[in-house]
Amino acid sequence: MSVLVFVDHTQGSFKKKAFETVNYAAETAKRIGGGDVTAVVLGTVSNEEINQLGQYGATKVLHLNDARFDNFSARAYAKAIAAGVQQAGAKVVIVSYNVSGKAVAGILAAQLKAGLVSGAVDYPQTDNGFVVKKTVFSGKAFAHVKITSDVKIIALVPNTFAPKKGEGAAAAEALNVSLSDADFGITKVAEDVVKGEIPLSEAELVVSGGRGLKGPENWGILEDLGKAFGATLACSRPVADAHWRPHHEHVGQTGGTIRPNLYVAVGISGAIQHLAGVNSSKTIVVINKDPEAPFFKAADYGVVGDAFEVLPKLTEAVNKFKAAHN
Amino acid sequence: MKILVCIAQAPDTTAKIAFTDNNTKFNEQGVTYIINPYDEWYALVRALELKETGVASEVHLVTVGNAGAEAVMRKALALGGDQAFRINTESHDTFVVASEIAAFAKDKGYDLVLAGKESIDYNNASVGATIAGVLDHNFIGFATSLDVAGTTATVKREIEGGEETDTATLPLVISCQKGMAEARIPNMRGIMAARTKPLNVVEPTAVAALTEIVAYDLPPAKTGVKLFTVDQMDELVEALHSQAKVI
Ligand SMILES: Cc1cc2nc3c(=O)[nH]c(=O)nc-3n(C[C@H](O)[C@H](O)[C@H](O)COP(=O)(O)OP(=O)(O)OC[C@H]3O[C@@H](n4cnc5c(N)ncnc54)[C@H](O)[C@@H]3O)c2cc1C
Ligand SMILES: Nc1ncnc2c1ncn2[C@@H]1O[C@H](COP(=O)(O)O)[C@@H](O)[C@H]1O
């Protein structure tokens, strides 16, 4: 059975998550009996960049080199991908569970009358139908969802598998679809990107601060630790609500949901709504002066102590470690 | 301009998550249901603000659910909104929920359909987009602000690592999140008014589900926290390296 994967890019370059979805598509194809792994790429991307997809398991690339796709318009994207599904005869469609993947997956589900598992955290099981495991209840449980339609869509949670680079090469092919300008109904008028930082949804290492840090003027010591680790910063909701930190850093049930390898929580009590956004992190370190803070129950490692004393020491230790291991 | 707001009910965030029937059903015992926070604080409140400022003429609420969902719809009506509709079927399949809402909305001339970015129980983050797909409307996901002038909407939406501002012509489907509006608490007048507002029951078109939950399970419990003192930071870093293997 042929598998198709939508590969998202940022201004012409692929991120780790893109390679992860291609890898996942290749492994899925293998598990369902082999077949083509077709990657769909929309918009301006160099051939050099596209050639990498073969190394992660794509056997074919359908590239629509049309600058109208350089801005994300969910409807146009979904229509183009649906055309790719037809062209490739694909039965399984893979996207990333990120802002563009989720939007595209939902529209595709309608267009292809396809069952969708959004938020998948494992490969499909095929011994009893086609069953995919996904997170539910904001990371507090998993559901195993059987897809019964002919075409199936999976949105994979980023950072679930580490992408592995191999040897393969993919054959490029043009994607045949004609879209009217009306399909591109969204006009971008401004963009405000935080430069130079790895976005939270992709970060492998995250350092996060809560109300225990007392005020925005104290964030320097957290930033220092973040720099030492090479981590992205996050915060609890009251911190964003008080405008100590920008909104996009807020994680939890009403903020972002993240799944880094390491989450360091400093001066955060560990309320259930906060945990909802972070408890899929692989390793959690909690620094809190209160030994009874609920967060310690969800932690792998902990330091009971005053953040203002612990952070500089931890930063120093990380820097020392980095110096010794480079 | 007419707005339709999609309201899902969800277990209160502090609810204990457990399963029955050999781990095939969510255990509802002792669980209280709330309006899915994204639907309430962002989609609904922003729709009400647009009505209060004269931009919208009518705000309707819709849910796909059985009679048990009516309590939550009354709560939503207490915040505001002119009428509520309950499509009388229960499903956790994105295609079913979205197809039912789309079939209901199709000929009613809604200029905007607002959904939450994600339900906090099933976390699909897809119903809004699927409604747009069925209706063949444009869709903007993960919006953090929304304004409408004439037939043009200006929407800020989350992108990886930042925000982007878009414009689009109505009709439009939008999924809403933090930033769009501030949470409100219903007042006594709203609660009283909600009692007499129509809560219409609509029969479903009986779309077939394309997915089915076969089992649930819980993540393995943490084995317990390993504590370090302030003077053991080198040891902590070493553990992150050699045990946890994250650095
Ligand atoms: C429906 C709903 C949704 C919500 N959504 C979210 C969400 O998405 N994200 C979120 O974060 N919250 C959310 N909340 C709020 C949540 O319930 C908590 O109130 C919030 O997470 C608490 O933030 P905090 O841990 O930073 O602050 P606090 O609870 O005030 O905790 C501060 C912690 O810092 C410790 N501390 C104090 N001083 C020091 C020091 N010098 N050194 C070390 N530690 C110190 C204290 O012991 C304490 O544990 C939501 C709430 C509701 C009702
Ligand atoms: N049963 C339902 N009835 C009405 N709206 C729903 C229902 N389920 C989901 N929605 C809407 O779709 C949004 C996203 O839900 P989901 O795709 O399930 O994560 C929610 O925030 C609601 O606005």
Side-chain angles (χ1 to χ4, degrees):
Chain A
M1 258 194 286
S2 161
V3 176
L4 180 136
V5 49
F6 162 56
V7 190
D8 203 7
H9 63 91
T10 309
Q11 273 130 28
S13 64
F14 297 126
K15 302 221 172 132
K16 192 180 142 211
K17 171 170 72 281
F19 299 129
E20 181 186 8
T21 47
V22 175
N23 250 196
Y24 179 90
E27 180 62 29
T28 297
K30 219 186 281 165
R31 289 180 185 220
I32 61 176
D36 271 342
V37 179
T38 305
V40 169
V41 179
L42 305 173
T44 314
V45 183
S46 70
N47 287 337
E48 220 175 6
E49 192 73 7
I50 284 179
N51 285 341
Q52 292 187 75
L53 299 178
Q55 298 168 335
Y56 288 93
T59 55
K60 215 161 66 173
V61 178
L62 297 177
H63 181 199
L64 191 51
N65 198 347
D66 177 339
R68 289 182 299 178
F69 286 97
D70 292 347
N71 287 336
F72 181 73
S73 177
R75 177 159 70 160
Y77 265 60
K79 286 189 177 176
I81 297 164
V85 172
Q86 300 282 311
Q87 197 173 321
K91 293 295 180 199
V92 180
V93 181
I94 312 288
V95 304
S96 183
Y97 185 71
N98 70 338
V99 280
S100 43
K102 287 186 264 197
V104 158
I107 301 174
L108 274 177
Q111 290 183 343
L112 303 171
K113 289 209 174 16
L116 164 65
V117 174
S118 185
V121 291
D122 205 347
Y123 296 108
Q125 300 288 324
T126 52
D127 28 306
N128 185 10
F130 188 98
V131 178
V132 190
K133 180 177 176 181
K134 69 165 299 233
T135 57
V136 287
F137 299 100
S138 307
K140 282 181 266 182
F142 299 104
H144 300 262
V145 184
K146 183 188 263 185
I147 309 183
T148 51
S149 52
D150 180 35
V151 178
K152 302 163 177 73
I153 306 176
I154 301 172
L156 172 69
V157 173
N159 238 342
T160 300
F161 298 104
K164 285 192 220 76
K165 199 168 173 168
E167 291 295 312
E173 214 180 278
L175 173 59
N176 302 318
V177 59
S178 64
L179 293 179
S180 71
D181 282 339
D183 291 317
F184 295 85
I186 314 284
T187 311
K188 175 160 102 181
V189 294
E191 189 179 86
D192 181 11
V193 184
V194 189
K195 290 256 153 51
E197 210 181 87
I198 303 168
L200 263 180
S201 59
E202 281 173 38
E204 289 179 18
L205 306 170
V206 174
V207 167
S208 185
R211 209 143 56 173
L213 282 176
K214 308 286 192 289
E217 66 281 6
N218 297 328
W219 242 258
I221 50 170
L222 196 75
E223 281 166 358
D224 289 344
L225 180 64
K227 251 186 236 127
F229 274 123
T232 301
L233 295 192
C235 67
S236 68
R237 179 168 158 206
V239 164
D241 282 349
H243 304 290
W244 295 359
R245 299 296 299 175
H247 276 312
H248 71 259
E249 285 188 8
H250 154 206
V251 292
Q253 182 201 296
T254 45
T257 307
I258 55 172
R259 198 188 167 84
N261 290 333
L262 175 64
Y263 184 71
V264 183
V266 184
I268 303 176
S269 56
I272 197 155
Q273 297 90 356
H274 184 84
L275 295 179
V278 304
N279 60 10
S280 302
S281 308
K282 291 195 184 106
T283 299
I284 295 179
V285 177
V286 168
I287 299 169
N288 197 303
K289 69 172 186 192
D290 174 10
E292 302 294 319
F295 219 146
F296 283 117
K297 290 208 178 67
D300 301 284
Y301 302 101
V303 185
V304 179
D306 187 332
F308 297 93
E309 196 189 330
V310 177
L311 284 184
K313 290 195 169 155
L314 179 55
T315 302
E316 194 192 316
V318 175
N319 283 330
K320 204 161 86 191
F321 171 86
K322 289 270 162 110
H325 284 77
N326 269 335
Chain B
M1 186 188 69
K2 283 171 70 179
I3 305 179
L4 180 66
V5 182
C6 305
I7 305 276
Q9 64 166 357
D12 170 31
T13 40
T14 56
K16 184 170 159 33
I17 304 304
F19 305 100
T20 61
D21 295 38
N22 213 2
N23 285 331
T24 58
K25 280 202 174 64
F26 174 57
N27 186 353
E28 292 193 300
Q29 203 154 29
V31 171
T32 40
Y33 280 89
I34 58 169
I35 310 172
N36 188 46
Y38 301 103
D39 312 359
E40 174 180 355
W41 300 343
Y42 309 130
L44 176 56
V45 174
R46 187 63 193 138
L48 297 174
E49 288 172 353
L50 289 173
K51 187 172 174 193
E52 286 154 8
T53 52
V55 178
S57 55
E58 259 182 283
V59 175
H60 290 179
L61 319 182
V62 67
T63 192
V64 177
N66 56 26
E70 295 204 345
V72 157
M73 290 308 266
R74 285 274 172 229
K75 275 190 213 155
L77 280 172
L79 282 164
D82 303 295
Q83 286 197 51
F85 298 85
R86 177 174 68 81
I87 304 173
N88 190 20
T89 182
E90 198 182 275
S91 178
H92 296 303
D93 180 61
T94 295
F95 186 75
V96 169
V97 173
S99 298
E100 292 295 350
I101 294 174
F104 166 77
K106 199 170 173 39
D107 304 317
K108 298 196 177 59
Y110 295 112
D111 303 280
L112 271 179
V113 178
L114 304 184
K117 79 151 184 174
E118 177 177 334
S119 56
I120 61 166
D121 46 4
Y122 289 92
N123 308 132
N124 292 315
S126 56
V127 164
T130 308
I131 295 170
V134 178
L135 294 172
D136 197 22
H137 284 353
N138 270 307
F139 174 73
I140 298 180
F142 310 96
T144 55
S145 87
L146 160 66
D147 283 292
V148 181
T151 56
T152 304
T154 302
V155 182
K156 266 200 189 132
R157 69 175 186 94
E158 179 190 332
I159 56 175
E160 300 254 311
E163 270 188 343
E164 158 178 325
T165 309
D166 294 326
T167 57
T169 306
L170 305 180
L172 187 63
V173 182
I174 298 174
S175 83
C176 307
Q177 63 167 333
K178 194 181 163 67
M180 176 106 28
E182 294 293 332
R184 285 186 182 181
I185 298 166
N187 56 27
M188 209 51 209
R189 215 180 60 198
I191 295 168
M192 296 306 285
R195 292 193 182 159
T196 54
K197 283 182 190 169
L199 207 173
N200 312 287
V201 179
V202 179
E203 284 313 312
T205 58
V207 181
L210 307 179
T211 61
E212 169 198 339
I213 296 174
V214 290
Y216 292 96
D217 56 44
L218 295 168
K222 290 263 178 189
T223 48
V225 54
K226 186 161 175 10
L227 291 177
F228 293 84
T229 67
V230 184
D231 299 316
Q232 293 177 312
M233 290 303 104
D234 290 328
E235 288 85 341
L236 170 57
V237 171
E238 184 53 35
L240 293 177
H241 174 64
S242 52
Q243 283 178 7
K245 299 189 168 44
V246 291
I247 57 168

